[in-house]
Amino acid sequence: MKRVLGVVTILLVLSGCSYVPTYGVHEKLLGAEQQIVDCQYETALDTLQRFTVVGSSKEKARAFEFMGVVYQEKMDLEAFNHTVDRYLFNSVGRGEDRAVVIQNWNETRRYIREKRVYVLGQAECATNFVTSG
């Protein structure tokens, strides 16, 4: 009986670990990920910008990562590089290697694109490259 109770306890603890990446992350920040999947970039950026300033360390890191994904999706290299620099200058990213950060953000972008294929049936969002000027 003790053995069964021990196994059940271990299974409960291990199954709870699957939720650790989003534990302590505000619902609006999680919603921003879905907005990126749904190609609602500007709405997502509004939320993400706020979290880079007022979020917890975990929320700031996630917000910068999603901002990087948005700027990659929009093919805005200048804004992407600026976001990477801001992240590395911020306390949450200080000391990290730039190449590793970009590689991690690229993995997140692949994950978002996979979700988009599942949800929308396409990996790319329709983009409007018309610029004012």
Side-chain angles (χ1 to χ4, degrees):
M1 184 64 177
K2 288 182 183 180
R3 182 177 262 176
V4 172
L5 183 60
V7 170
V8 169
T9 303
I10 289 171
L11 288 174
L12 285 174
V13 169
L14 291 177
S15 68
C17 291
S18 65
Y19 299 104
V20 170
T22 59
Y23 180 76
V25 175
H26 197 279
E27 182 181 337
K28 285 188 179 184
L29 186 55
L30 297 175
E33 178 182 2
Q34 186 59 45
Q35 290 171 333
I36 297 169
V37 170
D38 294 336
C39 303
Q40 299 171 359
Y41 294 141
E42 299 309 317
T43 308
L45 281 173
D46 287 343
T47 302
L48 297 171
Q49 292 280 1
R50 282 188 224 123
F51 276 99
T52 62
V53 177
V54 298
S56 67
S57 293
K58 189 173 192 176
E59 291 169 337
K60 284 181 183 182
R62 195 123 166 138
F64 277 117
E65 183 176 14
F66 287 146
M67 283 176 58
V69 168
V70 168
Y71 290 131
Q72 283 179 319
E73 293 278 314
K74 292 177 73 172
M75 297 182 206
D76 190 343
L77 188 59
E78 184 178 337
F80 175 77
N81 285 327
H82 179 72
T83 302
V84 173
D85 291 340
R86 280 184 59 208
Y87 174 75
L88 294 172
F89 182 74
N90 195 291
S91 61
V92 295
R94 198 167 292 138
E96 291 188 38
D97 183 44
R98 182 181 183 86
V100 172
V101 168
I102 292 171
Q103 182 179 6
N104 291 339
W105 290 8
N106 285 337
E107 286 298 316
T108 301
R109 182 178 181 208
R110 281 195 253 324
Y111 170 73
I112 296 266
R113 290 167 63 99
E114 287 172 6
K115 284 180 73 172
R116 187 177 296 130
V117 167
Y118 181 75
V119 173
L120 302 178
Q122 61 190 30
E124 301 287 334
C125 294
T127 54
N128 183 1
F129 292 109
V130 176
T131 57
S132 59

Coordinates of all heavy atoms in Angstrom, one line a residue, residues 27-110:
E27 N -2.0 35.9 -17.8 CA -2.9 35.4 -18.9 C -2.8 36.2 -20.1 O -2.9 35.7 -21.2 CB -4.3 35.3 -18.3 CG -5.3 34.8 -19.3 CD -6.7 34.8 -18.7 OE1 -6.9 34.8 -17.5 OE2 -7.7 34.8 -19.5
K28 N -2.7 37.5 -20.0 CA -2.6 38.4 -21.2 C -1.3 38.1 -22.0 O -1.4 38.2 -23.2 CB -2.6 39.9 -20.8 CG -4.0 40.4 -20.3 CD -4.0 41.9 -20.1 CE -5.4 42.3 -19.7 NZ -5.5 43.7 -19.6
L29 N -0.3 37.8 -21.3 CA 1.0 37.4 -22.0 C 0.8 36.1 -22.8 O 1.2 36.0 -23.9 CB 2.1 37.3 -21.1 CG 3.5 37.1 -21.7 CD1 3.8 38.2 -22.7 CD2 4.6 37.1 -20.6
L30 N 0.1 35.2 -22.2 CA -0.2 33.9 -22.9 C -1.1 34.2 -24.0 O -1.0 33.5 -25.1 CB -0.8 32.9 -21.9 CG 0.1 32.5 -20.7 CD1 -0.6 31.6 -19.8 CD2 1.4 31.8 -21.3
G31 N -2.0 35.1 -23.9 CA -3.0 35.5 -25.0 C -2.2 36.1 -26.1 O -2.6 36.0 -27.3
A32 N -1.1 36.8 -25.8 CA -0.3 37.5 -26.9 C 0.3 36.4 -27.8 O 0.4 36.6 -29.0 CB 0.8 38.3 -26.3
E33 N 0.6 35.3 -27.2 CA 1.2 34.2 -28.1 C 0.1 33.7 -29.1 O 0.4 33.5 -30.2 CB 1.6 33.0 -27.2 CG 2.1 31.8 -28.0 CD 2.5 30.6 -27.1 OE1 2.3 30.6 -25.9 OE2 2.9 29.6 -27.7
Q34 N -1.1 33.6 -28.6 CA -2.2 33.2 -29.5 C -2.5 34.3 -30.5 O -2.8 34.0 -31.7 CB -3.5 32.9 -28.7 CG -4.6 32.3 -29.5 CD -4.2 31.0 -30.2 OE1 -3.6 30.2 -29.6 NE2 -4.5 30.9 -31.5
Q35 N -2.3 35.5 -30.2 CA -2.5 36.6 -31.1 C -1.4 36.5 -32.2 O -1.7 36.8 -33.4 CB -2.4 38.0 -30.4 CG -3.6 38.2 -29.6 CD -3.5 39.5 -28.7 OE1 -2.4 39.9 -28.4 NE2 -4.6 40.1 -28.4
I36 N -0.2 36.1 -31.9 CA 0.8 36.0 -32.9 C 0.5 34.8 -33.8 O 0.6 34.9 -35.0 CB 2.2 35.7 -32.2 CG1 2.6 36.9 -31.4 CG2 3.3 35.4 -33.3 CD1 3.8 36.7 -30.5
V37 N 0.0 33.7 -33.2 CA -0.4 32.6 -34.1 C -1.5 33.1 -35.0 O -1.6 32.7 -36.2 CB -0.9 31.4 -33.2 CG1 -1.6 30.4 -34.0 CG2 0.2 30.8 -32.4
D38 N -2.5 33.9 -34.5 CA -3.6 34.4 -35.4 C -3.2 35.6 -36.2 O -4.1 36.2 -36.8 CB -4.7 34.8 -34.5 CG -5.4 33.6 -33.7 OD1 -5.2 32.4 -34.2 OD2 -6.0 33.8 -32.7
C39 N -1.9 35.9 -36.3 CA -1.4 37.0 -37.2 C -1.9 38.4 -36.7 O -1.9 39.3 -37.6 CB -1.8 36.7 -38.6 SG -1.2 35.1 -39.3
Q40 N -2.2 38.6 -35.5 CA -2.6 39.9 -35.0 C -1.4 40.5 -34.3 O -1.3 40.7 -33.1 CB -3.7 39.7 -34.0 CG -5.0 39.1 -34.5 CD -6.0 38.7 -33.4 OE1 -5.8 38.9 -32.3 NE2 -7.1 38.2 -33.9
Y41 N -0.4 40.9 -35.2 CA 0.9 41.3 -34.7 C 0.8 42.6 -33.9 O 1.4 42.7 -32.8 CB 1.8 41.5 -35.8 CG 2.2 40.3 -36.6 CD1 2.3 40.3 -38.0 CD2 2.5 39.1 -35.9 CE1 2.7 39.1 -38.6 CE2 2.8 37.9 -36.6 CZ 2.9 38.0 -37.9 OH 3.3 36.8 -38.6
E42 N 0.1 43.6 -34.3 CA 0.1 44.9 -33.7 C -0.5 44.8 -32.3 O -0.1 45.4 -31.3 CB -0.6 46.0 -34.5 CG 0.1 46.2 -35.8 CD 1.6 46.5 -35.7 OE1 2.0 47.3 -34.8 OE2 2.4 45.9 -36.5
T43 N -1.6 44.0 -32.2 CA -2.3 43.8 -30.9 C -1.3 43.1 -29.9 O -1.2 43.5 -28.8 CB -3.6 43.0 -31.1 OG1 -4.4 43.6 -32.1 CG2 -4.4 42.9 -29.8
A44 N -0.7 42.1 -30.4 CA 0.3 41.4 -29.6 C 1.4 42.3 -29.2 O 1.9 42.2 -28.0 CB 0.8 40.2 -30.4
L45 N 2.0 43.1 -30.1 CA 3.1 44.0 -29.7 C 2.7 45.0 -28.6 O 3.5 45.3 -27.7 CB 3.6 44.7 -30.9 CG 4.5 43.9 -31.9 CD1 4.8 44.8 -33.1 CD2 5.8 43.5 -31.2
D46 N 1.5 45.5 -28.6 CA 1.0 46.4 -27.6 C 1.2 45.7 -26.2 O 1.7 46.3 -25.2 CB -0.4 46.8 -27.8 CG -0.6 47.8 -28.9 OD1 0.4 48.4 -29.3 OD2 -1.7 48.0 -29.4
T47 N 0.7 44.5 -26.1 CA 0.7 43.7 -24.9 C 2.2 43.4 -24.5 O 2.6 43.6 -23.3 CB -0.1 42.4 -25.0 OG1 -1.4 42.7 -25.3 CG2 0.0 41.6 -23.7
L48 N 3.0 42.9 -25.5 CA 4.3 42.5 -25.2 C 5.2 43.7 -24.7 O 6.0 43.6 -23.8 CB 4.9 41.9 -26.4 CG 4.3 40.6 -26.9 CD1 4.8 40.2 -28.3 CD2 4.4 39.5 -25.9
Q49 N 5.0 44.9 -25.3 CA 5.7 46.1 -24.9 C 5.5 46.4 -23.5 O 6.5 46.7 -22.7 CB 5.3 47.3 -25.8 CG 5.7 47.2 -27.2 CD 7.2 47.6 -27.5 OE1 7.9 47.9 -26.5 NE2 7.6 47.5 -28.7
R50 N 4.3 46.3 -23.0 CA 4.0 46.5 -21.6 C 4.7 45.6 -20.7 O 5.2 46.0 -19.7 CB 2.5 46.5 -21.4 CG 1.7 47.7 -21.8 CD 0.3 47.7 -21.4 NE -0.5 48.1 -22.6 CZ -1.4 47.4 -23.1 NH1 -1.8 46.2 -22.7 NH2 -2.1 47.9 -24.2
F51 N 4.7 44.3 -21.1 CA 5.3 43.3 -20.2 C 6.9 43.4 -20.2 O 7.5 43.0 -19.2 CB 4.9 41.9 -20.6 CG 3.6 41.5 -20.0 CD1 2.4 41.6 -20.8 CD2 3.5 41.0 -18.7 CE1 1.2 41.2 -20.3 CE2 2.3 40.7 -18.2 CZ 1.1 40.8 -18.9
T52 N 7.5 44.0 -21.2 CA 8.9 44.2 -21.1 C 9.3 45.3 -20.1 O 10.4 45.3 -19.6 CB 9.5 44.6 -22.5 OG1 9.0 45.9 -22.9 CG2 9.3 43.5 -23.5
V53 N 8.3 46.1 -19.7 CA 8.6 47.1 -18.7 C 8.1 46.7 -17.3 O 8.8 46.9 -16.3 CB 7.9 48.4 -19.1 CG1 8.1 49.5 -18.1 CG2 8.4 48.9 -20.5
V54 N 6.9 46.2 -17.2 CA 6.3 46.0 -15.9 C 6.1 44.5 -15.5 O 5.6 44.3 -14.4 CB 4.9 46.7 -15.8 CG1 5.0 48.2 -16.0 CG2 3.9 46.1 -16.8
G55 N 6.5 43.6 -16.3 CA 6.4 42.2 -16.0 C 7.4 41.7 -15.0 O 8.4 42.3 -14.7
S56 N 7.2 40.5 -14.5 CA 8.2 39.8 -13.7 C 9.3 39.4 -14.6 O 9.2 39.6 -15.8 CB 7.5 38.6 -13.0 OG 7.2 37.6 -14.0
S57 N 10.4 38.9 -14.0 CA 11.5 38.5 -14.8 C 11.1 37.5 -15.8 O 11.5 37.5 -17.0 CB 12.6 38.0 -13.9 OG 13.2 39.0 -13.1
K58 N 10.3 36.5 -15.4 CA 9.9 35.5 -16.4 C 9.0 36.0 -17.5 O 9.2 35.7 -18.6 CB 9.1 34.4 -15.6 CG 8.8 33.2 -16.3 CD 8.2 32.1 -15.4 CE 8.1 30.8 -16.1 NZ 7.6 29.7 -15.2
E59 N 8.1 37.0 -17.1 CA 7.3 37.6 -18.1 C 8.0 38.5 -19.0 O 7.8 38.5 -20.3 CB 6.2 38.4 -17.4 CG 5.2 37.5 -16.7 CD 4.2 38.3 -15.8 OE1 4.6 39.4 -15.3 OE2 3.2 37.8 -15.5
K60 N 9.0 39.2 -18.5 CA 9.9 40.0 -19.4 C 10.6 39.2 -20.4 O 10.6 39.5 -21.6 CB 10.9 40.8 -18.6 CG 10.3 42.0 -17.8 CD 11.4 42.7 -17.1 CE 10.8 43.9 -16.3 NZ 11.8 44.6 -15.5
A61 N 11.2 38.1 -20.0 CA 11.9 37.3 -20.9 C 11.0 36.7 -22.0 O 11.4 36.7 -23.2 CB 12.6 36.1 -20.1
R62 N 9.9 36.3 -21.6 CA 8.9 35.7 -22.6 C 8.4 36.8 -23.5 O 8.3 36.6 -24.7 CB 7.7 35.1 -21.8 CG 6.9 34.2 -22.5 CD 6.8 32.9 -21.9 NE 5.7 32.1 -22.4 CZ 5.9 30.9 -22.7 NH1 7.0 30.2 -22.4 NH2 4.9 30.2 -23.2
A63 N 8.2 38.0 -23.0 CA 7.7 39.1 -23.8 C 8.8 39.5 -24.9 O 8.4 39.7 -26.0 CB 7.3 40.3 -23.0
F64 N 10.0 39.6 -24.4 CA 11.1 39.9 -25.4 C 11.2 38.8 -26.5 O 11.3 39.1 -27.7 CB 12.4 40.0 -24.7 CG 12.7 41.4 -24.1 CD1 12.8 41.5 -22.7 CD2 12.8 42.5 -24.9 CE1 13.1 42.8 -22.1 CE2 13.0 43.8 -24.3 CZ 13.2 43.9 -22.9
E65 N 11.1 37.6 -26.1 CA 11.1 36.5 -27.0 C 10.0 36.6 -28.0 O 10.3 36.4 -29.2 CB 11.0 35.2 -26.2 CG 11.2 33.9 -27.0 CD 11.2 32.7 -26.2 OE1 10.8 32.7 -25.0 OE2 11.5 31.6 -26.7
F66 N 8.8 36.8 -27.6 CA 7.7 36.9 -28.5 C 7.8 38.1 -29.4 O 7.4 38.1 -30.6 CB 6.3 36.9 -27.8 CG 5.9 35.6 -27.2 CD1 5.2 35.5 -26.0 CD2 6.2 34.4 -27.9 CE1 4.8 34.3 -25.5 CE2 5.9 33.2 -27.4 CZ 5.2 33.1 -26.2
M67 N 8.3 39.2 -28.9 CA 8.5 40.4 -29.7 C 9.5 40.1 -30.8 O 9.4 40.5 -32.0 CB 9.1 41.6 -28.9 CG 8.0 42.3 -28.1 SD 8.6 43.6 -27.0 CE 9.4 44.7 -28.2
G68 N 10.6 39.4 -30.5 CA 11.6 38.9 -31.5 C 10.9 38.1 -32.6 O 11.2 38.3 -33.7
V69 N 10.0 37.2 -32.2 CA 9.3 36.4 -33.1 C 8.4 37.3 -34.1 O 8.4 37.1 -35.3 CB 8.4 35.4 -32.4 CG1 7.4 34.7 -33.4 CG2 9.3 34.3 -31.7
V70 N 7.7 38.2 -33.5 CA 6.9 39.1 -34.3 C 7.7 39.9 -35.3 O 7.4 40.0 -36.5 CB 6.1 40.1 -33.4 CG1 5.5 41.2 -34.2 CG2 5.0 39.4 -32.6
Y71 N 8.9 40.4 -34.9 CA 9.7 41.2 -35.8 C 10.3 40.3 -36.8 O 10.5 40.8 -38.0 CB 10.7 42.0 -35.0 CG 10.1 43.2 -34.2 CD1 10.5 43.3 -32.9 CD2 9.2 44.0 -34.8 CE1 9.9 44.4 -32.1 CE2 8.6 45.0 -34.1 CZ 9.0 45.2 -32.7 OH 8.4 46.2 -32.0
Q72 N 10.6 39.1 -36.5 CA 11.1 38.2 -37.5 C 10.0 37.9 -38.5 O 10.2 37.9 -39.8 CB 11.5 36.8 -36.9 CG 12.9 36.9 -36.2 CD 13.2 35.5 -35.6 OE1 12.4 34.9 -35.1 NE2 14.5 35.1 -35.8
E73 N 8.8 37.7 -38.0 CA 7.6 37.4 -38.9 C 7.4 38.6 -39.8 O 7.0 38.4 -41.0 CB 6.4 37.1 -38.1 CG 6.5 35.8 -37.3 CD 6.1 34.6 -38.2 OE1 5.1 34.6 -38.9 OE2 6.8 33.6 -38.1
K74 N 7.5 39.8 -39.3 CA 7.3 41.0 -40.1 C 8.5 41.4 -41.0 O 8.5 42.3 -41.7 CB 7.0 42.2 -39.2 CG 5.7 42.0 -38.4 CD 5.4 43.2 -37.5 CE 5.1 44.4 -38.2 NZ 4.7 45.6 -37.4
M75 N 9.6 40.6 -40.8 CA 10.8 40.8 -41.6 C 11.4 42.2 -41.3 O 11.9 42.9 -42.2 CB 10.6 40.6 -43.1 CG 10.2 39.2 -43.4 SD 10.1 38.9 -45.1 CE 8.9 37.6 -45.2
D76 N 11.3 42.6 -40.1 CA 11.8 43.9 -39.6 C 13.1 43.7 -38.9 O 13.1 43.6 -37.7 CB 10.8 44.6 -38.8 CG 11.2 46.1 -38.5 OD1 12.3 46.5 -38.7 OD2 10.3 46.8 -38.0
L77 N 14.2 43.6 -39.6 CA 15.5 43.2 -39.1 C 16.0 44.3 -38.1 O 16.6 43.9 -37.0 CB 16.5 43.0 -40.2 CG 17.9 42.5 -39.7 CD1 17.7 41.1 -39.1 CD2 18.8 42.4 -40.9
E78 N 15.7 45.5 -38.4 CA 16.2 46.6 -37.5 C 15.5 46.5 -36.1 O 16.1 46.6 -35.1 CB 15.9 48.0 -38.1 CG 16.4 49.1 -37.3 CD 16.2 50.5 -38.0 OE1 16.0 50.5 -39.2 OE2 16.1 51.5 -37.3
A79 N 14.2 46.3 -36.1 CA 13.4 46.2 -34.9 C 13.8 44.9 -34.1 O 13.9 44.9 -32.9 CB 11.9 46.2 -35.1
F80 N 14.1 43.8 -34.9 CA 14.5 42.6 -34.3 C 15.8 42.8 -33.5 O 16.0 42.4 -32.4 CB 14.6 41.5 -35.3 CG 15.2 40.2 -34.8 CD1 14.4 39.3 -34.1 CD2 16.5 39.8 -35.0 CE1 14.8 38.1 -33.5 CE2 17.0 38.6 -34.5 CZ 16.2 37.8 -33.7
N81 N 16.8 43.4 -34.2 CA 18.1 43.6 -33.6 C 18.0 44.5 -32.4 O 18.7 44.3 -31.4 CB 19.1 44.1 -34.6 CG 19.6 43.1 -35.6 OD1 19.8 41.9 -35.2 ND2 19.9 43.5 -36.8
H82 N 17.2 45.5 -32.5 CA 17.0 46.4 -31.4 C 16.4 45.6 -30.2 O 16.8 45.8 -29.0 CB 16.1 47.6 -31.8 CG 15.7 48.5 -30.7 ND1 16.7 49.4 -30.2 CD2 14.6 48.7 -30.0 CE1 16.1 50.1 -29.2 NE2 14.9 49.7 -29.0
T83 N 15.4 44.7 -30.4 CA 14.8 43.9 -29.4 C 15.8 43.0 -28.7 O 15.8 42.9 -27.5 CB 13.6 43.1 -29.9 OG1 12.7 44.1 -30.5 CG2 12.9 42.3 -28.9
V84 N 16.7 42.4 -29.5 CA 17.7 41.5 -29.0 C 18.6 42.3 -28.1 O 19.0 41.9 -27.0 CB 18.5 40.8 -30.1 CG1 19.7 40.1 -29.5 CG2 17.7 39.9 -30.9
D85 N 19.0 43.5 -28.6 CA 19.9 44.4 -27.8 C 19.2 44.8 -26.5 O 19.9 44.8 -25.4 CB 20.3 45.6 -28.6 CG 21.2 45.3 -29.7 OD1 21.9 44.2 -29.7 OD2 21.3 46.1 -30.7
R86 N 18.0 45.2 -26.5 CA 17.2 45.6 -25.3 C 17.2 44.4 -24.3 O 17.3 44.6 -23.1 CB 15.8 46.0 -25.7 CG 15.7 47.4 -26.2 CD 14.2 47.8 -26.4 NE 13.4 47.7 -25.2 CZ 12.1 47.4 -25.1 NH1 11.4 47.2 -26.2 NH2 11.5 47.3 -24.0
Y87 N 16.9 43.2 -24.8 CA 16.9 42.0 -24.0 C 18.2 41.8 -23.3 O 18.3 41.5 -22.1 CB 16.5 40.8 -24.8 CG 16.5 39.5 -24.0 CD1 15.6 39.2 -23.1 CD2 17.6 38.6 -24.2 CE1 15.6 38.0 -22.4 CE2 17.6 37.4 -23.5 CZ 16.7 37.1 -22.6 OH 16.7 36.0 -21.8
L88 N 19.3 41.8 -24.1 CA 20.6 41.6 -23.5 C 21.1 42.7 -22.6 O 21.8 42.4 -21.6 CB 21.7 41.5 -24.7 CG 21.5 40.3 -25.6 CD1 22.4 40.3 -26.8 CD2 21.7 39.0 -24.8
F89 N 20.6 43.9 -22.7 CA 20.9 45.0 -21.8 C 20.0 44.9 -20.5 O 20.4 45.3 -19.5 CB 20.6 46.3 -22.5 CG 20.9 47.5 -21.6 CD1 22.3 47.9 -21.4 CD2 19.9 48.3 -21.1 CE1 22.6 48.9 -20.6 CE2 20.3 49.4 -20.3 CZ 21.6 49.7 -20.0
N90 N 18.8 44.3 -20.6 CA 17.9 44.2 -19.5 C 18.5 43.1 -18.5 O 19.2 42.3 -18.9 CB 16.5 43.7 -20.0 CG 15.5 43.9 -19.0 OD1 15.4 43.2 -18.0 ND2 14.5 44.8 -19.3
S91 N 18.1 43.2 -17.3 CA 18.6 42.3 -16.3 C 18.2 40.9 -16.5 O 19.0 40.0 -16.2 CB 18.0 42.7 -14.9 OG 16.6 42.6 -14.9
V92 N 17.1 40.6 -17.2 CA 16.8 39.2 -17.5 C 17.7 38.6 -18.6 O 17.8 37.3 -18.6 CB 15.3 39.0 -17.9 CG1 14.4 39.4 -16.8 CG2 15.0 39.8 -19.2
G93 N 18.3 39.3 -19.4 CA 19.1 38.8 -20.5 C 20.6 39.1 -20.3 O 21.4 38.6 -21.1
R94 N 20.9 39.8 -19.3 CA 22.3 40.2 -19.2 C 23.2 39.0 -19.0 O 22.9 38.1 -18.2 CB 22.5 41.1 -18.0 CG 23.8 41.9 -18.0 CD 23.7 43.0 -17.0 NE 22.8 44.1 -17.4 CZ 22.0 44.7 -16.6 NH1 21.9 44.4 -15.3 NH2 21.1 45.6 -17.0
G95 N 24.3 38.9 -19.7 CA 25.2 37.8 -19.6 C 25.0 36.7 -20.5 O 25.7 35.7 -20.6
E96 N 23.8 36.7 -21.3 CA 23.5 35.6 -22.2 C 24.3 35.9 -23.5 O 24.5 37.1 -23.9 CB 22.0 35.5 -22.5 CG 21.3 35.0 -21.2 CD 19.8 34.7 -21.6 OE1 19.5 34.2 -22.7 OE2 19.0 35.0 -20.7
D97 N 24.5 34.9 -24.3 CA 25.2 35.0 -25.5 C 24.2 35.3 -26.6 O 23.1 34.7 -26.7 CB 25.9 33.6 -25.9 CG 26.6 33.7 -27.2 OD1 27.3 34.7 -27.4 OD2 26.5 32.7 -28.0
R98 N 24.5 36.3 -27.4 CA 23.6 36.8 -28.4 C 23.1 35.7 -29.4 O 22.0 35.6 -29.7 CB 24.2 38.0 -29.2 CG 23.4 38.6 -30.3 CD 24.1 39.7 -31.0 NE 23.3 40.4 -31.9 CZ 22.4 41.4 -31.7 NH1 22.4 41.9 -30.5 NH2 21.7 41.9 -32.7
A99 N 24.1 34.9 -29.9 CA 23.8 33.8 -30.8 C 22.8 32.8 -30.2 O 21.9 32.3 -30.9 CB 25.1 33.2 -31.3
V100 N 23.0 32.5 -28.9 CA 22.1 31.5 -28.3 C 20.7 32.1 -28.1 O 19.7 31.4 -28.3 CB 22.7 31.1 -26.9 CG1 21.7 30.3 -26.1 CG2 24.0 30.4 -27.1
V101 N 20.6 33.4 -27.8 CA 19.3 34.0 -27.7 C 18.6 34.0 -29.0 O 17.4 33.6 -29.1 CB 19.5 35.5 -27.2 CG1 18.2 36.3 -27.3 CG2 20.0 35.5 -25.7
I102 N 19.3 34.3 -30.1 CA 18.7 34.3 -31.4 C 18.3 32.9 -31.8 O 17.2 32.7 -32.3 CB 19.6 35.0 -32.4 CG1 19.7 36.5 -32.2 CG2 19.1 34.7 -33.9 CD1 20.8 37.2 -33.0
Q103 N 19.1 31.9 -31.5 CA 18.7 30.5 -31.8 C 17.5 30.1 -31.0 O 16.6 29.5 -31.6 CB 19.9 29.6 -31.4 CG 19.7 28.2 -31.8 CD 20.9 27.3 -31.4 OE1 21.8 27.8 -30.8 NE2 20.8 26.0 -31.8
N104 N 17.4 30.5 -29.7 CA 16.2 30.1 -28.9 C 15.0 30.8 -29.5 O 13.9 30.2 -29.5 CB 16.4 30.5 -27.5 CG 17.5 29.6 -26.8 OD1 17.8 28.5 -27.2 ND2 18.0 30.1 -25.7
W105 N 15.1 32.1 -29.9 CA 14.0 32.8 -30.4 C 13.5 32.2 -31.8 O 12.4 32.1 -32.1 CB 14.3 34.3 -30.6 CG 14.4 35.0 -29.3 CD1 14.4 34.4 -28.0 CD2 14.5 36.4 -29.1 NE1 14.5 35.4 -27.1 CE2 14.6 36.6 -27.7 CE3 14.6 37.5 -29.9 CZ2 14.8 37.9 -27.1 CZ3 14.8 38.7 -29.4 CH2 14.9 38.9 -28.0
N106 N 14.5 31.7 -32.5 CA 14.2 31.0 -33.8 C 13.4 29.7 -33.5 O 12.5 29.4 -34.3 CB 15.4 30.7 -34.6 CG 16.0 31.9 -35.3 OD1 15.3 32.9 -35.5 ND2 17.3 31.9 -35.6
E107 N 13.7 29.0 -32.5 CA 13.0 27.8 -32.1 C 11.6 28.2 -31.7 O 10.6 27.4 -32.1 CB 13.7 27.1 -30.9 CG 14.9 26.3 -31.4 CD 14.7 25.2 -32.4 OE1 13.7 24.5 -32.2 OE2 15.4 25.1 -33.3
T108 N 11.4 29.2 -31.0 CA 10.1 29.7 -30.6 C 9.3 30.1 -31.9 O 8.1 29.8 -32.0 CB 10.2 30.9 -29.7 OG1 10.9 30.5 -28.5 CG2 8.8 31.4 -29.3
R109 N 9.9 30.7 -32.8 CA 9.3 31.1 -34.1 C 8.8 29.8 -34.8 O 7.7 29.8 -35.3 CB 10.2 31.9 -35.0 CG 9.5 32.3 -36.2 CD 10.4 33.1 -37.1 NE 9.7 33.5 -38.3 CZ 10.3 33.8 -39.4 NH1 11.6 33.7 -39.5 NH2 9.6 34.2 -40.5
R110 N 9.6 28.8 -34.8 CA 9.2 27.5 -35.5 C 8.0 26.9 -34.8 O 7.1 26.4 -35.4 CB 10.4 26.5 -35.5 CG 11.4 26.8 -36.6 CD 12.3 25.6 -36.8 NE 13.7 25.6 -36.4 CZ 14.6 26.5 -36.3 NH1 14.2 27.7 -36.6 NH2 15.8 26.4 -36.0

